[in-house]
Amino acid sequence: MKIDFVINRYPPSQGGGEFYAATLVRFLQKRGHLIQVHTSSLKSNYQRELIIGLPNQEMDHRVSICRYRPVYLTRNDNYPIFSAMAAKLFRSSADLIHAHSLYYFSADISGLIGKLRRKPFVLSPYFALRANGRFGTLRKLLNRLALSAGAVLVLTEYEKIEIEKYVSSVTRFETIPPGVNTEEFDQVPDNVFERFFDTKNHRVLLFVGRLDHGKGVDILIKALPEVIKKYPEVKCCIIGEDFGAMTELKTMAEETGVANNLIFTGKLDRQEVCSAFVNADIFVFPSRYEAFGMVLIEAMAAYLPVVAARSSAIPWVVKENEDGLLFDVNDHHDLAQKIMLTLSDASATQMRITRARKKVETEHAWPQVVEKLENVYSSLLR
């Protein structure tokens, strides 16, 4: 099968959706499908900065990647347009288009070309309700066009519920959760934390994600004084690239008196991130909004207890008191209590860890995920 994968950003750009799409591409390629990725060199969906040095055309594990330069209609617009992408997609001989991330030109033009060429079109929206900004009426119409795909692939039931609030014309939903390669966490040779502090006699709280307001790292920092008062041996390690929040977070750490217990590592490579999951004591995810939260199931795969915000899709991923603990979003006191409960009740924590790993193995195995996706593709090509 020949498939056009279309996404606003793609690795080495950071993000759960980008990582998920790239992993799908690799698995589909291994199963004999011919994949053409259409994307950009954008570093962020919220900034216009490009990653320097990426070629316009490249091959990665026999997957062809085309990167297009963005054009913006206005100075403050956050809707990059790729005219060359549109032309290439229209001429493509692919059997099917699979677009990712609603609200972007890449998804909108995929939906339009799917209609014009009468070609099967699949959308993975990673849905988050947001304002359409300038040209809002046109944007909303284009969003609805993208959501009229032959199949809209949601990561959780929560995403389906939210989309149905936004538009009622979706003809077909398919729930396909992301996968995890558990072997990444079963074969980690080193402890990455040893690069940053003396790991003896410390208990490590871990956060992994980009540093912006939406990820809620400020809530974690506010919770630390309460935790450290009872557990002074705690170190909190923040792994992720700065998306504009680093200065504010470091200032907050100084003002709350936890700077000596807090480590910002910046961006780490994949093997180092896996090492962090394996060697931490608790994974803390205070995000204010997630369509899924890939790092949650990665922590579960690494036998790492999870404490996460009770927000958006997270309760559909982390079952409270079964495979993790949830705290009220933005409530740093509740977060502190859940962290301390995880540290103090070893027996209950171990039971949650065991259930979480079993869930990952049964519900998030990549071969099963890819087989579900192939079945959706095949159904649209009949």
Side-chain angles (χ1 to χ4, degrees):
M1 192 183 303
K2 294 175 67 177
I3 306 165
D4 281 324
F5 251 64
V6 190
I7 187 167
N8 195 53
R9 300 188 307 128
Y10 192 79
S13 296
Q14 298 292 298
E18 290 74 20
F19 178 77
Y20 173 54
T23 308
L24 279 179
V25 164
R26 287 195 295 273
F27 272 93
L28 287 166
Q29 186 273 329
K30 287 179 181 178
R31 291 168 74 99
H33 302 284
L34 298 176
I35 312 294
Q36 171 84 70
V37 177
H38 302 266
T39 187
S40 72
S41 299
L42 285 166
K43 183 177 181 180
S44 164
N45 284 335
Y46 313 105
Q47 301 168 344
R48 301 188 182 191
E49 183 180 355
L50 300 179
I51 298 175
I52 304 301
L54 291 179
N56 295 333
Q57 182 84 35
E58 61 186 293
M59 293 293 292
D60 180 26
H61 296 90
R62 293 188 293 165
V63 173
S64 176
I65 303 173
C66 291
R67 297 187 188 270
Y68 306 90
R69 292 190 67 84
V71 174
Y72 297 87
L73 296 178
T74 66
R75 179 178 297 177
N76 298 318
D77 194 24
N78 187 33
Y79 188 78
I81 291 173
F82 310 97
S83 56
M85 175 191 287
K88 192 154 187 173
L89 281 173
F90 189 82
R91 297 192 303 267
S92 171
S93 62
D95 302 306
L96 178 143
I97 303 172
H98 185 168
H100 301 254
S101 297
L102 188 65
Y103 298 111
Y104 294 104
F105 174 86
S106 50
D108 295 339
I109 197 64
S110 297
L112 179 59
I113 289 172
K115 292 289 185 185
L116 293 175
R117 293 288 311 276
R118 296 183 179 179
K119 184 177 291 189
F121 169 55
V122 174
L123 175 69
S124 294
Y126 314 135
F127 186 79
L129 188 59
R130 66 184 74 170
N132 281 285
R134 299 186 69 172
F135 314 105
T137 301
L138 175 59
R139 297 271 187 85
K140 197 166 186 177
L141 286 171
L142 290 170
N143 295 163
R144 290 175 184 272
L145 176 63
L147 286 167
S148 68
V152 174
L153 310 182
V154 293
L155 301 171
T156 65
E157 184 71 15
Y158 168 82
E159 193 177 2
K160 177 182 178 224
I161 293 168
E162 291 299 296
I163 290 173
E164 288 180 323
K165 292 178 185 176
Y166 179 71
V167 57
S168 59
S169 58
V170 175
T171 56
R172 177 183 176 187
F173 283 105
E174 292 287 345
T175 302
I176 303 181
V180 174
N181 179 9
T182 56
E183 292 180 0
E184 282 190 299
F185 307 100
D186 294 337
Q187 302 172 2
V188 175
D190 302 314
N191 184 347
V192 69
F193 298 128
E194 291 177 351
R195 286 175 42 193
F196 301 99
F197 59 90
D198 183 357
T199 58
K200 293 179 181 178
N201 302 317
H202 281 116
R203 305 175 87 172
V204 181
L205 310 183
L206 174 66
F207 167 87
V208 177
R210 66 178 180 268
L211 302 188
D212 65 19
H213 176 75
K215 292 299 182 182
V217 178
D218 57 303
I219 307 167
L220 174 54
I221 292 174
K222 290 176 184 176
L224 285 178
E226 201 170 337
V227 175
I228 292 168
K229 184 177 180 180
K230 185 173 181 180
Y231 296 97
E233 74 276 15
V234 159
K235 289 277 190 181
C236 183
C237 192
I238 308 295
I239 297 177
E241 191 171 0
D242 181 20
F243 277 65
M246 177 75 82
T247 300
E248 180 183 349
L249 294 173
K250 285 187 174 181
T251 299
M252 183 182 296
E254 293 286 349
E255 291 175 348
T256 54
V258 299
N260 290 335
N261 297 75
L262 192 61
I263 299 97
F264 291 92
T265 71
K267 178 182 174 182
L268 300 181
D269 66 30
R270 181 62 186 168
Q271 188 172 4
E272 291 168 328
V273 172
C274 291
S275 174
F277 278 119
V278 169
N279 290 289
D281 293 281
I282 302 177
F283 182 68
V284 184
F285 198 55
S287 183
R288 294 180 168 94
Y289 185 91
E290 293 292 326
F292 187 86
M294 283 286 296
V295 287
L296 292 167
I297 55 173
E298 289 179 335
M300 293 176 180
Y303 295 98
L304 184 59
V306 171
V307 176
R310 191 181 291 105
S311 71
S312 51
I314 293 174
W316 273 259
V317 181
V318 179
K319 300 301 181 185
E320 188 162 19
N321 290 320
E322 290 185 22
D323 46 42
L325 293 180
L326 300 177
F327 71 94
D328 294 333
V329 64
N330 291 320
D331 187 340
H332 64 275
H333 293 298
D334 192 24
L335 171 55
Q337 291 300 313
K338 296 300 167 59
I339 291 172
M340 291 188 289
L341 179 60
T342 303
L343 289 171
S344 64
D345 193 343
S347 177
T349 297
Q350 185 57 52
M351 283 193 294
R352 289 191 291 270
I353 290 171
T354 301
R355 293 191 196 108
R357 172 70 185 218
K358 184 176 181 180
K359 180 171 79 171
V360 167
E361 292 172 345
T362 56
E363 299 179 17
H364 297 282
W366 271 116
Q368 295 173 10
V369 170
V370 175
E371 185 176 347
K372 288 180 183 178
L373 181 58
E374 286 178 317
N375 289 339
V376 173
Y377 289 166
S378 297
S379 71
L380 295 174
L381 289 168
R382 289 174 188 149

